[in-house]
Amino acid sequence: MSNEFFAGFHPPHPPPGLRERVLQAARTAGARAPSRPLVGRVEWALVAAALALAITHLVLPSTSASPWPAAPAPGQVTSITGDPTVDALLVAEADRWEKDHHRRLLVELGFPEMTWEGRSRK
């Protein structure tokens, strides 16, 4: 590829006296009083937010009763359809599906010889 297309293009020259003006402004900027650091303002904002959360936590009444129903105990199968035969089939299929996807995940992560419980298949 040839650069002949760009032969007539040249970067613009800076205005005369620009270097001197920039250097003079840099010298006078150091003489000004430093502004308040941003970190200090952010820290105060974080402290204020934490205090607001703590005060709100103390002011609002806490209730020990959860509006959500409790999950069944591990190993306890709840009725899904109302038919015990179909429920057993659904639970077995869900277990098979879960183990299959755990195995696929371990293979993707590079641990094909491991089972989900962490024991080796060997």
Side-chain angles (χ1 to χ4, degrees):
M1 181 173 172
S2 173
N3 287 335
E4 293 176 12
F5 179 76
F6 300 107
F9 293 105
H10 298 288
H13 295 289
L18 177 65
R19 179 182 169 95
E20 291 78 24
R21 288 193 314 239
V22 169
L23 290 174
Q24 181 62 32
R27 283 187 210 107
T28 59
R32 283 188 253 150
S35 62
R36 189 168 180 220
L38 177 64
V39 174
R41 288 180 283 192
V42 171
E43 287 172 352
W44 279 110
L46 289 173
V47 167
L51 282 174
L53 287 172
I55 291 170
T56 305
H57 180 70
L58 293 174
V59 170
L60 291 178
S62 64
T63 59
S64 60
S66 173
W68 308 106
Q76 177 186 1
V77 178
T78 58
S79 178
I80 300 170
T81 63
D83 184 4
T85 307
V86 175
D87 285 344
L89 292 174
L90 286 174
V91 169
E93 179 61 21
D95 286 342
R96 186 203 58 78
W97 182 87
E98 182 181 22
K99 287 178 183 173
D100 184 47
H101 280 77
H102 287 172
R103 184 184 52 77
R104 287 183 187 171
L105 176 65
L106 288 171
V107 168
E108 281 184 30
L109 293 175
F111 301 106
E113 70 280 351
M114 298 292 289
T115 62
W116 187 253
E117 292 81 22
R119 296 182 303 269
S120 179
R121 289 188 195 174
K122 296 175 184 175

